[in-house]
Amino acid sequence: MRAAVLLAERSVGMEEVPDARLPGPDGVVVTIEQAAICGSDLHLYHGDLGLERVQLGHEAVGLVAEVGADVHTLSVGDRVLISGVIACGHCTSCWRGDPVGCRNGQTAVLGTTPELPGGQAEAIGVPGADAFVTKVPDGIGVEDSVLLTDILPTGYLGALRADITPGDTVVVVGLGPVGIMALECAGLFGPARILAVDVVPDRLARAARLGAEPIDARDGGAVAAVAEATAGRGAEAVIEAVGLDQTIIDAISMTAVNGTVSVIGVNLNMALPFPMGFAFLRSITVRSTIAAIPGTWGALIPLLESGRLRPEGTFTHHLGLSEVGDAYAIFDERRDGVLKVLLDPRR
Ligand SMILES: [Zn+2]
Ligand SMILES: [Zn+2]
């Protein structure tokens, strides 16, 4: 079969690889209909993990092609979406939809190691299918299904864990795909205002179209701009969706007394210069979240079905798997107004 393979630093190509197969009796094989490229795929692309020859992708939807003997909730032909994060599939945390909290310590992201080939491919084998693969209800389109595999749950949990209450001012720092999901989910909790911070003009314009107040951070004045917009108080809830040291420090610095900072940007710095004095004197709560993806489906699927949540227009680029090298370059370089890329493995 064909799959996107990380060939070297900043080089991804479509290659012929061994066919996907059942990972065990608790697994399924899914024929992929659409797969997305994620911001976290760029960490592999940039060589941050020092890996090569990985079959990429953790955001995919498709049709069940093969079912292991121990799988009880899925049948051949079911249209399904797959959690980008998986684990043992058999502990209480996994059954609760929280593979990040797996009691057996088997948390893993699909498509990030040679042992777990990813979903930017014609097919994928997924272990623990009863816990991590779910049928797509009829009313949910393919693009929304792909969003449910990772970034919409991440944005939702970022907003949920920001403790937004009705009337609050919310700041979203970073308006990439995850930040936009967080911005749309923040609206579910009744804020009076959402301030949206980025450095890319078309991303600021997108946030404005979604009803947020854009703040252009290119001059480095985002903290001052939030202070000015809130009469010096800061925002009750700040969602950080970039993951740079500076944007996390900025997010804390934008927070009002008794407010909450919710970090969903990826930052692996073990020695971040943390503005403890500021956080202490303002009684600020700082949270970070890796998405417990399946645990959000019970909330997000009805919200999508009812139209209360409409993450439309997230996929700006639809390309074939054969164009995956260009697709990564466009996404990485934020060329051509890209927000998120969808790949079709059939072309
Ligand atoms: Zn992702
Ligand atoms: Zn587990």
Side-chain angles (χ1 to χ4, degrees):
M1 69 170 192
R2 306 176 314 159
V5 178
L6 179 66
L7 302 171
E9 196 176 314
R10 289 175 203 273
S11 173
V12 172
M14 188 184 75
E15 299 227 319
E16 196 64 34
V17 300
D19 284 347
R21 53 190 177 79
L22 276 183
D26 68 347
V28 293
V29 174
V30 176
T31 304
I32 304 299
E33 292 188 311
Q34 297 286 341
I37 301 177
C38 180
S40 61
D41 290 327
L42 295 179
H43 293 288
L44 285 106
Y45 184 70
H46 293 156
D48 296 355
L49 305 181
L51 292 167
E52 284 179 22
R53 307 298 313 174
V54 175
Q55 284 173 231
L56 296 164
H58 59 268
E59 301 184 357
V61 303
L63 298 173
V64 174
E66 218 180 318
V67 182
D70 296 346
V71 175
H72 303 293
T73 59
L74 302 166
S75 309
V76 171
D78 287 344
R79 174 162 282 118
V80 293
L81 62 97
I82 304 159
S83 172
V85 180
I86 65 164
C88 83
H90 303 284
C91 72
T92 51
S93 285
C94 284
W95 275 110
R96 230 181 25 237
D98 179 13
V100 177
C102 177
R103 302 297 175 104
N104 292 313
Q106 291 183 27
T107 309
V109 180
L110 295 169
T112 58
T113 65
E115 295 75 42
L116 268 180
Q120 290 163 10
E122 287 187 283
I124 185 173
V126 188
D130 283 331
F132 307 122
V133 179
T134 194
K135 283 188 234 181
V136 178
D138 286 341
I140 306 264
V142 67
E143 295 194 4
D144 285 351
S145 306
V146 176
L147 295 177
L148 284 167
T149 64
D150 180 7
I151 71 166
L152 186 54
T154 300
Y156 171 74
L157 288 175
L160 180 73
R161 287 167 56 80
D163 298 334
I164 302 161
T165 54
D168 280 355
T169 295
V170 176
V171 181
V172 179
V173 180
L175 305 172
V178 171
I180 289 291
M181 294 301 106
L183 190 156
E184 301 205 30
C185 290
L188 298 168
F189 301 95
R193 304 168 70 193
I194 301 178
L195 312 180
V197 179
D198 204 287
V199 295
V200 181
D202 54 55
R203 294 187 171 186
L204 290 163
R206 174 184 295 270
R209 288 197 299 276
L210 293 168
E213 300 168 48
I215 291 177
D216 189 334
R218 274 178 293 181
D219 61 359
V223 174
V226 170
E228 190 182 323
T230 57
R233 287 190 302 273
E236 287 81 17
V238 181
I239 303 167
E240 201 284 344
V242 181
L244 296 174
D245 290 358
Q246 190 59 51
T247 49
I248 291 172
I249 292 165
D250 285 354
I252 295 166
S253 307
M254 291 169 180
T255 307
V257 172
N258 295 321
T260 299
V261 180
S262 176
V263 178
I264 47 176
V266 176
N267 183 307
L268 304 177
N269 187 353
M270 296 297 174
L272 178 71
F274 188 86
M276 186 63 216
F278 190 91
F280 182 76
L281 291 170
R282 290 197 168 201
S283 292
I284 290 169
T285 300
V286 180
R287 292 216 181 90
S288 56
T289 304
I290 302 178
I293 294 163
T296 68
W297 291 338
L300 291 172
I301 287 173
L303 285 164
L304 291 168
E305 284 178 315
S306 70
R308 289 287 303 276
L309 192 57
R310 291 175 194 268
E312 289 164 359
T314 309
F315 291 101
T316 51
H317 288 63
H318 296 75
L319 298 170
L321 185 64
S322 56
E323 304 164 282
V324 70
D326 285 340
Y328 268 82
I330 290 167
F331 186 53
D332 182 44
E333 293 160 25
R334 297 181 187 170
R335 251 192 262 155
D336 191 21
V338 68
L339 185 65
K340 198 160 171 75
V341 181
L342 201 56
L343 297 169
D344 185 341
R346 294 162 292 194
R347 59 187 180 93

